[in-house]
Amino acid sequence: MKTRALKNYGASVGVEVYDIDLDDENECMELGKLTADQCIVLLDKKIEAANDYKKAAEISGKDKELFYEAGRLYFLMNKYSDADYLLHKALEMDRYYGDAIDMELKTVFEMRNYDAAINISQMAIDKKRCGKSLYSHAVAHDSLGHIDQADKYYRQAKADDPKFMPTYAALAFLNLKQGKVDEALNNVTIVLTKEPDNMEAIYVRSMVYAAKKDMQSAINDITRVLLTSPSDKA
């Protein structure tokens, strides 16, 4: 858990933290600049900052920005339950607080709380209807097996933002569940025309080819995915 938190800390400050062995300071690096002890100090400062924000928020009781900042820091440390509680508090004070909506949506997806994701993504739509918020709403429905609702919101997301490629890949996968193989191929082809190295789309296309009994093309695609990112689709 500490290793994951260190990586998230690195991401939060715009640098990469490599896989580490906390017992070997030579393996704990931040672009080769930090020792393990220095990385742990930074993590401890992150924890301390999160705890300080949480205390200040609870003392104030009505400062949404304090609750948001505490929630954001807990999220970065993978403490999703704490983040959820604090971000929810911020949204109780202002349901249209955009930063808190975005962070809470990430949090509930990490928690796989898709019922909550439906509610939070609806808040995002109410604040600003756009392809991304509609896509998130569709993904939440899709994750709960609400096929008709997912289909509806993926299509609305496409209409609102035709350039947002994740919608096409997700809809293609849903099309397969619906038995709409040709539509699935059309949607995934749109992605790969724009982003020929999109591994998620290539993975979905491999399943489309398998559904069409074109096994050689399916094998070619899945082999490409596995060779590019073996840990993701194993």
Side-chain angles (χ1 to χ4, degrees):
M1 180 62 74
K2 203 162 212 179
T3 299
R4 289 184 63 193
L6 283 168
K7 286 186 176 183
N8 281 330
Y9 177 82
S12 75
V13 295
V15 297
E16 181 178 358
V17 177
Y18 297 99
D19 288 334
I20 61 170
D21 177 354
L22 289 174
D23 295 323
D24 183 352
E25 72 173 27
N26 293 322
E27 289 186 30
C28 180
M29 295 184 173
E30 194 174 18
L31 295 182
K33 296 176 183 177
L34 300 182
T35 66
D37 287 342
Q38 288 171 318
C39 285
I40 291 168
V41 167
L42 289 173
L43 175 60
D44 288 341
K45 286 182 179 178
K46 184 75 101 177
I47 294 170
E48 185 179 349
N51 290 338
D52 285 346
Y53 268 116
K54 183 179 180 182
K55 276 184 191 175
E58 290 175 339
I59 290 170
S60 165
K62 53 186 178 181
D63 189 328
K64 67 180 184 181
E65 292 184 3
L66 289 175
F67 280 103
Y68 164 72
E69 287 296 341
R72 182 181 67 83
L73 288 170
Y74 278 113
F75 175 87
L76 291 173
M77 294 184 295
N78 305 308
K79 295 189 174 185
Y80 302 125
S81 293
D82 290 316
D84 179 41
Y85 166 76
L86 292 159
L87 294 165
H88 186 74
K89 286 288 188 182
L91 290 171
E92 284 180 348
M93 297 172 200
D94 180 1
R95 66 176 278 107
Y96 296 114
Y97 187 3
D99 289 340
I101 290 172
D102 292 343
M103 188 58 66
E104 174 68 344
L105 192 54
K106 291 177 184 177
T107 300
V108 293
F109 271 123
E110 287 288 349
M111 296 172 72
R112 299 187 180 183
N113 185 347
Y114 302 120
D115 287 311
I118 287 175
N119 294 331
I120 302 301
S121 57
Q122 183 61 58
M123 291 168 66
I125 292 169
D126 292 343
K127 176 177 173 54
K128 183 180 180 182
R129 179 190 170 96
C130 63
K132 188 175 180 180
S133 61
L134 289 163
Y135 165 78
S136 295
H137 201 54
V139 170
H141 279 293
D142 201 352
S143 300
L144 288 169
H146 303 164
I147 302 299
D148 291 343
Q149 289 294 93
D151 184 275
K152 171 185 173 181
Y153 286 106
Y154 282 137
R155 293 181 190 282
Q156 289 184 11
K158 278 177 58 177
D160 274 50
D161 187 356
K163 296 181 180 180
F164 189 64
M165 292 298 106
T167 299
Y168 294 86
L171 182 55
F173 193 78
L174 182 69
N175 292 151
L176 283 174
K177 298 177 190 176
Q178 298 169 311
K180 300 176 180 178
V181 180
D182 290 335
E183 185 177 351
L185 182 58
N186 180 63
N187 279 314
V188 82
T189 298
I190 290 170
V191 179
L192 291 169
T193 298
K194 299 284 187 181
E195 302 174 3
D197 295 322
N198 186 313
M199 289 299 115
E200 189 67 30
I202 293 170
Y203 175 65
V204 175
R205 188 176 66 180
S206 74
M207 293 188 289
V208 172
Y209 283 141
K212 293 173 76 69
K213 308 301 182 186
D214 183 351
M215 302 314 294
Q216 187 57 58
S217 293
I219 290 169
N220 291 343
D221 272 354
I222 198 63
T223 300
R224 182 178 172 190
V225 171
L226 290 171
L227 288 174
T228 303
S229 49
S231 64
D232 291 344
K233 302 299 179 186

